[in-house]
């Protein structure tokens, strides 16, 4: 059994050192720390902590509010740990999900904590309403008066947050982008990412425009060559078709000749003769050219599919038979 610690604070000004010390004292050999709001469900370090848990391991936190800020999120994390056969322990609360009593206590404390936060929100709203009735306006004074410095600071903070979001998913999207751009349009690359299970930083599915914006940020900071931002050519010459077929072998989950043909039709790619329907023989011819050009040296080539056997004709249609 391994004890995996998780420490979290909400802002960069706060420190996780006290939590780290408590987790080490509890016997945690592996500790992941994070600076993020508790209401943010897309916390990469928390996801890594859960992924590291194996059967019999225990995820340990100092207090329950370091893990989740809502009962729904708390139960979601517990379900993920339970599916792995792992447990959860909070050092500051009498909680240990390896026993039924501990799980029941955890649900009660989570519900109480959520109720307390709801009361705080209601009191905050009431205080703001009372302040407005007395003529006091909340918010940043610089933004209210459209101060250039305040607006610039807010925009810089927003851009920094977006850059950080894109960097979190860069490892998942860049292999597809480098392999498929600019030969494939952005929408096709987005569909390829969806098939691989890659998601946007906010958890949604990738779209062509959203993917293009994210890659522009990565290219601006030097994480990918700007050649991927070039416009997809409309007319494809023979060499371009050879490259597309080679890319299909590298990206398709099951790159048979038939699947490659259907894939080329799906991205509206025309054959060398300008036709919209691809035949297996055309794909096989381009594969031969890709091998000759050294584009598929490390990949096993798709084998031609065996011809389908025709079903036996009904007895009435055999020689000498008559229709009923």
């Amino acid at each position: 059994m391994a004890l995996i610690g998780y420490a979290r604070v909400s802002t960069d000004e706060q420190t996780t050192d006290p939590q780290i010390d408590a987790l080490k004292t509890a016997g945690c050999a592996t500790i992941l720390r994070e600076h993020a709001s508790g209401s943010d469900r897309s916390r990469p370090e928390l996801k890594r902590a859960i992924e590291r848990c194996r059967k019999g391991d225990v995820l340990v936190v100092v207090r329950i509010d370091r893990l989740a800020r809502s009962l729904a999120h708390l139960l979601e994390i517990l379900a993920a740990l339970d599916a792995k056969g792992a447990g959860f322990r909070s050092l500051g609360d009498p909680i240990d999900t390896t026993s039924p009593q501990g799980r029941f206590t955890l649900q009660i404390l989570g519900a109480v904590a959520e109720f307390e936060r709801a009361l705080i929100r209601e009191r905050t709203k009431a205080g703001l309403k009372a302040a407005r009735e007395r003529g006091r306006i909340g918010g940043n004074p610089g933004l209210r008066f459209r101060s250039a410095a305040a607006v610039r600071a807010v925009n810089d903070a927003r851009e920094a947050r977006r850059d950080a979001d894109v960097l979190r998913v860069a490892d998942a999207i860049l292999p597809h982008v480098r392999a498929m751009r600019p030969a494939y349009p952005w929408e096709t690359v987005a569909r390829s990412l969806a098939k691989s299970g890659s998601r946007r930083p906010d958890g949604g599915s990738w779209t062509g425009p959203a993917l293009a914006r994210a890659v522009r940020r990565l290219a601006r900071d030097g994480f990918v060559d700007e050649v991927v931002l070039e416009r997809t050519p409309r007319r494809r010459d023979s060499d371009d078709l050879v490259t597309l077929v080679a890319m299909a072998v590298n990206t398709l989950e099951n790159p048979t000749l038939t699947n490659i043909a259907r894939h080329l039709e799906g991205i509206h790619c025309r054959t060398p003769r300008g036709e919209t329907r691809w035949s297996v023989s055309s794909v096989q011819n381009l594969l031969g050219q890709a091998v000759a050009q050294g584009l598929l040296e490390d990949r096993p080539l798709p084998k031609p599919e065996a011809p389908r056997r025709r079903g036996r004709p009904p007895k009435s249609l055999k020689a000498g038979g008559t229709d009923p």
Side-chain angles (χ1 to χ4, degrees), residues 106-128:
L106 178 62
Q107 294 182 5
I108 292 177
L109 290 178
V112 172
E114 187 173 7
F115 177 68
E116 182 181 4
R117 285 190 295 273
L119 292 179
I120 293 173
R121 286 194 296 270
E122 291 299 324
R123 288 195 294 266
T124 302
K125 290 179 181 178
L128 292 173

Side-chain angles (χ1 to χ4, degrees), residues 53 76 86 114 131 162 195 206 275 315:
C53 290
E76 180 182 323
E114 187 173 7
R162 288 173 178 171
K195 290 180 181 179
W206 283 107
E275 299 172 352
K315 292 183 179 179

Side-chain angles (χ1 to χ4, degrees), residues 131-166:
R132 283 193 297 270
E133 291 175 351
R134 290 174 173 80
R136 296 174 58 189
I137 302 176
N140 189 324
L143 292 179
R144 286 206 310 272
F145 296 106
R146 306 301 297 172
S147 167
V151 173
R152 185 167 53 253
V154 171
N155 289 335
D156 290 345
R158 185 182 295 116
E159 288 298 308
R161 178 61 183 269
R162 288 173 178 171
D163 288 342
D165 289 341
V166 171

